[in-house]
Every structure is written in C-alpha cells, then in structure tokens.
C-alpha cells in the first residue's frame, strides 16, 4: 500500500502541535482540518463531535464552496450510522450523501475518530473531481487519529476548562499520532526526525517490542548523550 509522504506526515505532526497549544476545542479542530485538506487535497472537510445523545454534529467545516459549507454545517446524523470499514456510497449517512451530490463528488471518505470502540466524532472528506489516492487515504486516517487524541484530551469533545498547553501533552499528542502511522512511513528514522521537530524535543527515540517482549531501539535522533542515556 502506498504510504503518506514525509511532507504529509510532518504537516499532520505540526498541526498536532498547534492543536496541543490551543485553549479551545474549535481552534484545535480547525488546525487539524486545515492540515487534512493540505495532506489529502480534499475540496471539503467536516469534523463532527458526538453530543450526549450520540448525534454527530459538525464542529468545523473547511470548504472551497460556501454552499457546500452551509450544507455540511447544518447537517447531523447518529453515531450508529457511521459505517464499518470502507463503505460503499449507498451506505453513507444521508447527510453525507446529500453533501456529496451537491458537488458531484468523485471521492468521499468518512472515518470515525476516537478509540476503544466508542467513536467520539468523525471526519468526512470530499473530493469534487476524483477518488482519493491511497496515500491520501492514509493521510485522512492519520488525521482521524489526531482528532481522536484531541477529543480525548479535551474531555470527550467538551472543551470547557481544558487545555493542551503542557509539554507532556504536546509530546504525547505528536508521539501517539506518529506511532499510529509508523508502518506507513518511509522509515523509522524519518518518524523520529518529524517527532522531534514537531514536539520541540532535543531528542527522540523510537522503540519496538521484540519477539521476547524486550524493547528494541529502532531509531533515534538528537545528541549522542541523550541516546546513551536510553535504557538498553
């Protein structure tokens, strides 16, 4: 499977860092939505957040079409309508199908965000003229992973009183999302380089459990003394 480019990976990691510095959920989601557009080439991106009743309402819309933005912003559907796997167009929720018809979309992606079997939201991406390429699909999946991390950090979609401004949260946000995309990256060295730059860390080390359960160092970047301090 084609993977996301190094530039795309860095774009998402940088957006994760920006999101980690925001005090409000809407601003954090806006940063990730813009990054998703850049990485996937989508003509429109809508990020939804589930409310207490399990309804997915749009929280952020980025669109080149004002009419499409209005259609998406006023739409909602139950969490239960999120399709499993890669859905066929007829299995998409009605709200998504209507938006796709409005621009005659050639490609539509709808991905849940969150984890542990409980979607906290979703991201939908529409391309007006063509289907999404494999690398763009990977970029969308990583964007969804970022959004899930942000929603959890803001208290399951409730941004009141929450902030992601701590260094620990920033490192965790960038690291978790990058780890999710390791198998799609060009190399482990590339991942640690992007992680260090995105988080502002002086050093980054990437570990993987070996067959005996012991951690093996896959790649590292930064000063030699930082690498030497890593447990062996």
């Amino acid at each position: 499977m084609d993977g996301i480019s190094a530039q795309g990976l860095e774009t998402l990691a940088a957006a994760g860092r920006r999101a980690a510095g925001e005090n409000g959920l809407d601003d954090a989601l806006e940063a990730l939505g813009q990054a998703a557009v850049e990485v996937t080439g989508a003509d429109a991106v809508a990020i939804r957040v589930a409310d207490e009743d399990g309804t997915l309402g749009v929280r952020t819309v980025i669109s080149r079409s004002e009419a499409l933005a209005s259609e998406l912003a006023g739409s909602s559907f139950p969490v239960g309508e999120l399709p499993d796997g890669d859905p066929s167009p007829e299995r998409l929720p009605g709200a998504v199908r209507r938006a796709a018809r409005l621009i005659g979309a050639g490609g539509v992606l709808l991905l849940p965000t969150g984890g542990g079997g409980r979607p906290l939201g979703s991201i939908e991406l529409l391309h007006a003229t063509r289907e999404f390429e494999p690398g763009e699909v990977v970029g969308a999946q990583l964007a969804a992973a970022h959004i899930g991390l942000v929603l959890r950090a803001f208290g399951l979609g409730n941004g009141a009183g929450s902030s992601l401004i701590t260094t620990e949260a920033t490192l965790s946000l960038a690291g978790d999302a990058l780890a999710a995309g390791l198998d799609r990256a060009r190399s482990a060295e590339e991942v640690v380089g992007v992680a260090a730059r995105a988080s502002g860390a002086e050093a980054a080390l990437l570990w993987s459990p070996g067959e005996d359960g012991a951690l093996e160092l896959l790649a590292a970047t930064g000063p030699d003394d930082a690498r030497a301090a890593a447990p062996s």
Side-chain angles (χ1 to χ4, degrees), residues 88-185:
S88 56
E90 59 271 15
R91 292 186 57 201
L92 291 170
V96 180
R97 293 200 306 271
R98 287 191 295 271
R101 284 198 300 267
L102 187 63
I103 61 169
V108 181
L109 294 175
L110 175 59
L111 303 171
T113 60
R118 179 189 175 191
L120 304 177
S122 67
I123 178 172
E124 57 213 59
L125 306 94
L126 295 90
H127 202 297
T129 59
R130 61 172 175 80
E131 295 183 355
F132 288 93
E133 298 176 357
E136 294 170 341
V137 174
V138 171
Q141 291 169 339
L142 292 180
H146 271 83
I147 293 166
L149 290 168
V150 166
L151 293 180
R152 289 200 299 274
F154 273 100
L156 305 183
N158 178 11
S162 296
S163 174
L164 300 181
I165 59 176
T166 66
T167 301
E168 179 180 1
T170 303
L171 289 168
S172 176
L173 186 65
D176 286 353
L178 285 168
L182 173 60
D183 60 334
R184 302 177 179 96

Side-chain angles (χ1 to χ4, degrees), residues 48-51 54-58 75-80 82 119-122:
R48 300 177 186 268
V49 177
D51 63 16
T55 298
L56 289 167
V58 172
S75 68
S76 64
F77 58 86
V79 169
L82 281 172
L120 304 177
S122 67

